[in-house]
Amino acid sequence: MRCHYEVLGVSQTATDDDLKKAYKKLALQWHPDKNPDRIAEAKQHFLEIRAAYEVLSDPRERSWYDAHRDVMLQKASGDDYLDDTINIFPFFTSSCYQGYNDSENGFYTVYNKLFKDIAEQDLKASTDKKVKIPEFGNSESDYEEVVGPFYAYWSNYCTLRSYVWKEEHDTHDAADRRVRRLMEQENKKLRDKAKKERNEEVRELVAFVKKRDKRVQLRKIYLEEQAARKKKADTERRNREKQRKLEELAQYKESQWMSFEEFEKQLDDLEKTVKDNFQESNQNQSRIENDDDDDDSADDLNELYCVACNKSFKSDKAFLNHEKSRKHKDFVLLMKAHIQQENEQLLLNNEDQTNITNDDDDDDQIARLPTNDQSTKSKKKKKKQRRNNKDNSSSDDDIEEIKYQLHGELPKENYQEEEEEEEEEVSTIATTKKKKKNKSTTETADGNDEASQAPIILQCFICREEFSSRNALFKHIKDLNHAKPIEAKTAIKPKAKSKKK
């Protein structure tokens, strides 16, 4: 066996183009038809050239050949062969067989014998005698039963031999246990290395044979034809299905319930129903709003309102409690007095009107009657403002002055503490007088001091005549029948503060 690179006359770094040019040149030179005088020699050289080119033109086979070229050439020559392992390197060329037939030197006979010898060596070294190794078969072997299982097993070949002859150390010569274990580890590494090399050699040979096996090529063609037929059948089936759907579509007749006219009628009915419901809902909404307005107006009419105190109430109980309060009773007395004064002014003569006018000026400083000309919302708003009003001192002074003019006596500080709940309403009545009082604060304070120090004047309420004593006043009332008393209770004297010791 010669090196493939020597056969083609190229270096190991030659490219694919270099290999192709060398092969064509040598093939023309050693073709049997070109050498009719030496046909046998030309045929042998031609087969050797073709085998070398087939190996080197395949990148995978070329890489494996480059890695094991020296070993293959050495073992092919028979030098330093130490074991009885079958040498498979001579079979990595097409020159080892003649034609793809079952003759003595044919492809199937040569490789069938080779793989059978390798299997017999493995079975002799194996401890498991039940192992079955597939055979290579012949040119007529069935792919499913013989060819397929053969390549499935040999493509993943693992040798069953132990390769103990590869060991370099004899464990019997070990001095102690530690040395013996080291020897065993080294021997195991050598055996595993030899097994690995043998497995790779056999697998590469199987790949080499499979590529040139006509049975595998025929199987590949058969599978491609079968895939093409399946694809064609699927295409025809899809076309038939498409044609059938087109025919059904052409014969399709729309049912009555799916027609557009019926759908349009249903749509009109639906729109009409929605429109009627919408109008009805709007009417109900407007009716509800009107009822709410009526309820609001009824609430305004049924609102409890105190004219004397200018205050509204939401319940009868609150209104009754307000009527029992002393603050309310004081304002009622004050209101009655003003009404009676206005009635009497219409009957007085000119002389009396002059005196009444002077008295009215004093009465204007007392208070102004409350009016109910405000809406409920404005009342509530002003009520909140009055609660937040911090100027309580000035309003308290106005209240005290009103009570003084009504009862004829000076109030005391404890009177204010007992009536804290009603001060907010009185502050509203005294608001008008507060403006006048701010303009002449000094004059009002002096007037209050003089009023507190001046003696009490007895006066007839009808004719406004003054008297120096009570007896004279009572006699005057009895003689002239001026007894028109005001229905009012005696003034409530405020409690005096207890002086701190």
Side-chain angles (χ1 to χ4, degrees):
M1 180 180 178
R2 290 194 303 165
C3 178
H4 293 325
Y5 293 102
E6 293 179 1
V7 172
L8 296 177
V10 295
S11 63
Q12 295 183 4
T13 59
T15 61
D16 294 339
D17 294 335
D18 297 334
L19 294 173
K20 188 179 292 185
K21 290 178 182 179
Y23 169 71
K24 287 182 178 181
K25 182 179 178 180
L26 294 174
L28 290 174
Q29 181 180 354
W30 292 99
H31 197 277
D33 295 340
K34 299 290 183 180
N35 299 281
D37 54 345
R38 45 178 183 175
I39 295 177
E41 183 181 359
K43 186 176 181 179
Q44 184 178 359
H45 281 288
F46 182 79
L47 293 176
E48 187 178 10
I49 292 167
R50 189 173 63 179
Y53 179 74
E54 287 179 356
V55 173
L56 298 180
S57 62
D58 191 338
R60 184 171 177 274
E61 291 185 2
R62 182 179 178 180
S63 62
W64 191 88
Y65 177 80
D66 292 340
H68 300 82
R69 187 176 66 88
D70 297 334
V71 179
M72 290 173 63
L73 295 175
Q74 184 179 6
K75 290 188 176 182
S77 62
D79 297 338
D80 299 329
Y81 187 73
L82 301 177
D83 56 15
D84 59 347
T85 304
I86 298 174
N87 186 12
I88 63 176
F89 289 100
F91 297 93
F92 277 93
T93 178
S94 58
S95 60
C96 66
Y97 61 89
Q98 296 178 358
Y100 294 92
N101 49 46
D102 295 330
S103 61
E104 184 178 356
N105 295 325
F107 176 83
Y108 298 102
T109 303
V110 171
Y111 285 107
N112 185 30
K113 183 177 181 303
L114 174 63
F115 286 109
K116 186 179 291 186
D117 294 341
I118 296 173
E120 288 179 358
Q121 283 187 346
D122 289 346
L123 290 175
K124 288 180 181 179
S126 176
T127 57
D128 188 5
K129 303 300 181 179
K130 296 181 180 180
V131 178
K132 293 182 179 182
I133 300 176
E135 296 182 356
F136 184 72
N138 52 33
S139 60
E140 301 297 332
S141 299
D142 183 65
Y143 187 89
E144 298 291 341
E145 296 179 0
V146 178
V147 180
F150 171 80
Y151 284 110
Y153 174 83
W154 288 92
S155 296
N156 301 293
Y157 173 78
C158 291
T159 182
L160 302 178
R161 305 185 72 181
S162 61
Y163 283 86
V164 293
W165 57 89
K166 294 292 183 179
E167 295 179 355
E168 296 180 354
H169 306 285
D170 188 359
T171 56
H172 294 88
D173 298 337
D176 52 15
R177 181 183 298 177
R178 183 181 64 82
V179 176
R180 185 170 61 254
R181 287 181 178 178
L182 292 174
M183 289 181 177
E184 290 177 354
Q185 292 177 1
E186 291 293 330
N187 292 335
K188 186 176 183 302
K189 288 180 181 180
L190 294 173
R191 292 195 304 270
D192 293 341
K193 182 179 178 181
K195 288 181 181 180
K196 184 177 180 181
E197 291 177 355
R198 182 63 177 178
N199 295 336
E200 291 179 355
E201 291 174 0
V202 175
R203 291 174 187 176
E204 284 296 327
L205 178 62
V206 172
F208 177 84
V209 174
K210 185 176 181 180
K211 182 179 179 181
R212 292 159 178 81
D213 194 347
K214 300 298 181 181
R215 299 173 300 182
V216 177
Q217 296 176 3
L218 293 175
R219 180 67 177 181
K220 184 178 180 181
I221 294 171
Y222 169 76
L223 293 176
E224 290 177 354
E225 291 177 354
Q226 189 177 9
R229 287 195 301 270
K230 185 177 179 181
K231 184 178 180 181
K232 184 179 179 181
D234 294 340
T235 304
E236 292 177 355
R237 180 180 57 79
R238 287 194 298 268
N239 292 334
R240 289 195 302 270
E241 188 70 19
K242 184 178 180 180
Q243 187 65 25
R244 183 181 63 80
K245 290 183 178 180
L246 291 175
E247 293 177 358
E248 291 179 357
L249 183 62
Q251 298 176 0
Y252 176 75
K253 184 179 180 181
E254 187 179 16
S255 58
Q256 184 177 1
W257 66 273
M258 293 181 62
S259 62
F260 182 75
E261 295 178 356
E262 187 68 22
F263 178 74
E264 189 174 7
K265 290 181 181 179
Q266 294 178 2
L267 185 61
D268 294 338
D269 295 340
L270 182 61
E271 289 179 354
K272 185 177 179 180
T273 304
V274 172
K275 185 176 180 180
D276 295 340
N277 293 336
F278 182 74
Q279 292 178 355
E280 184 178 355
S281 63
N282 287 339
Q283 292 176 0
N284 294 334
Q285 186 66 24
S286 60
R287 191 180 300 110
I288 292 171
E289 291 178 356
N290 294 332
D291 294 342
D292 293 340
D293 295 339
D294 295 340
D295 294 341
D296 294 339
S297 60
D299 293 340
D300 294 339
L301 293 175
N302 295 330
E303 186 180 21
L304 299 174
Y305 179 74
C306 178
V307 179
C309 302
N310 191 20
K311 187 175 181 181
S312 59
F313 302 90
K314 293 184 178 180
S315 61
D316 296 339
K317 186 176 181 181
F319 184 74
L320 293 174
N321 292 333
H322 174 71
E323 287 183 341
K324 295 178 181 179
S325 64
R326 286 179 289 179
K327 186 74 65 177
H328 172 74
K329 294 177 181 179
D330 293 341
F331 275 102
V332 169
L333 290 175
L334 180 62
M335 186 175 179
K336 287 182 178 181
H338 278 277
I339 293 173
Q340 190 170 5
Q341 288 178 6
E342 291 177 357
N343 293 332
E344 291 177 355
Q345 287 178 1
L346 299 175
L347 302 175
L348 294 176
N349 54 14
N350 294 332
E351 186 177 356
D352 294 335
Q353 287 179 355
T354 304
N355 297 328
I356 293 173
T357 303
N358 296 329
D359 295 334
D360 290 338
D361 294 337
D362 297 335
D363 294 338
D364 290 339
Q365 297 178 359
I366 296 174
R368 181 173 295 177
L369 293 176
T371 57
N372 187 19
D373 57 350
Q374 296 178 349
S375 62
T376 306
K377 293 183 179 180
S378 61
K379 292 176 183 178
K380 293 181 179 180
K381 185 175 181 181
K382 290 183 177 181
K383 183 177 179 181
K384 291 181 179 180
Q385 293 177 355
R386 291 195 299 272
R387 289 177 180 177
N388 297 329
N389 188 9
K390 296 181 180 180
D391 192 7
N392 295 325
S393 59
S394 60
S395 60
D396 294 341
D397 295 339
D398 296 337
I399 295 169
E400 299 298 335
E401 186 175 353
I402 293 170
K403 292 184 178 181
Y404 161 70
Q405 294 183 5
L406 178 63
H407 301 292
E409 58 182 359
L410 287 173
K412 297 182 180 180
E413 294 178 357
N414 286 345
Y415 186 82
Q416 180 181 355
E417 295 178 354
E418 294 179 354
E419 300 180 355
E420 289 180 353
E421 297 179 355
E422 300 296 325
E423 287 179 357
E424 294 179 359
E425 299 297 334
V426 178
S427 62
T428 304
I429 302 173
T431 302
T432 56
K433 189 172 181 300
K434 182 179 178 181
K435 296 181 180 179
K436 296 181 181 180
K437 186 175 181 181
N438 291 334
K439 295 181 181 178
S440 57
T441 306
T442 307
E443 296 177 1
T444 306
D446 296 339
N448 290 335
D449 295 337
E450 292 176 2
S452 61
Q453 295 176 2
I456 299 174
I457 299 175
L458 301 176
Q459 187 180 34
C460 179
F461 192 80
I462 302 301
C463 61
R464 301 293 181 180
E465 185 177 356
E466 297 180 357
F467 299 93
S468 60
S469 64
R470 292 183 178 181
N471 292 332
L473 176 60
F474 291 158
K475 184 178 181 182
H476 169 77
I477 291 171
K478 185 176 180 181
D479 294 338
L480 299 180
N481 195 17
H482 283 184
K484 291 183 180 180
I486 298 174
E487 295 179 1
K489 295 181 180 180
T490 57
I492 301 172
K493 295 182 180 180
K495 296 181 180 180
K497 276 188 176 180
S498 57
K499 294 182 180 180
K500 296 181 180 181
K501 296 181 180 181

